Amino acid sequence: MIRVNTKFDRPDPELVEQLGKYSAATIHEAQGRLGALDSTIKPVDPAMSLCGPAFTVRCAPRDNIMLQVAIAHAQPGDIIVVSAGEYAEAGSFGDVLANACVAKGLGGLVTDTGVRDTQELRELGFPVFSFSVCMKGTVKETVGPMAEPVLIGGEIVNPGDVIRADADGVVVVRRDDVADVIRKSQERVEAEDAYIAAYRSGKSVIEVSNLAAVLEAKGLVIDGH
């Protein structure tokens, strides 16, 4: 007998909603350039975006039985996070399972294996971020852990961590850090808005970024026009 867990603490939904207002890149920078999954994991449509607590599951390569179990037990708003060993040559998720996710109110899927039926996924609008696109089918043989820490895209993702993903990629925020990352993300947005305002007022990027002393120390000499 293999017993799997389905219970874990999730972050405050209001905090998740606030975090989702910031881009994945902003969050990555705000938390010290941490948490970014490998850039090989991309949305099947650049317009796709998601933010929600991770419901983690580990699948054997070319096997999606545990993915289906995870979909059955995840809660509305959850992001299914699949660790399958970066196996590109399998389409472990497609339009049929995506419709099951939509019917349950799930928030999206992030996987380090392949997906298929991408045209239908785009039309459905269910956010899917995957390692590859592959038409090859899968088996349903190997059971394994669920709602436990998994390795995906070079990052450990714990159940209940928050996953934020958009056209630039996927970032994970530790459940206990969400409020702090929201604060830091807002500070970063305000700082960048100030940079943009300075550029529009006529200041150069060297002035705004205080690069003159840095460039001089590195010995860069720019001849005048």
Side-chain angles (χ1 to χ4, degrees), residues 106-163:
L106 304 187
L109 174 92
V110 176
T111 178
D112 68 354
T113 188
V115 301
R116 61 185 184 182
D117 305 326
T118 53
Q119 180 62 41
E120 290 83 356
L121 293 178
R122 285 190 286 270
E123 292 172 356
L124 184 63
F126 182 72
V128 175
F129 290 70
S130 69
F131 181 64
S132 70
V133 172
C134 181
M135 68 178 72
K136 299 174 184 177
T138 57
V139 298
K140 297 166 181 62
E141 296 288 345
T142 307
V143 297
M146 184 171 66
E148 294 183 5
V150 298
L151 176 64
I152 176 173
E155 290 287 331
I156 297 294
V157 176
N158 305 292
D161 286 347
V162 179
I163 302 295

Side-chain angles (χ1 to χ4, degrees), residues 8 16 34 38 42 57 79 82 93 97 108 114 142 155 165 169 171 180 193 212-214 217-218:
F8 56 88
V16 174
L34 299 174
D38 287 344
K42 297 291 189 186
V57 61
I79 308 301
V82 182
F93 182 91
L97 288 181
T142 307
E155 290 287 331
V171 66
D180 186 53
D193 287 345
V214 175
K218 293 181 178 295

Side-chain angles (χ1 to χ4, degrees), residues 179-201:
D180 186 53
V181 173
I182 290 170
R183 177 183 60 80
K184 291 177 178 178
S185 295
Q186 181 60 32
E187 290 173 353
R188 183 172 179 83
V189 167
E190 291 172 359
E192 290 181 342
D193 287 345
Y195 295 153
I196 293 170
Y199 298 149
R200 290 176 175 173
S201 73

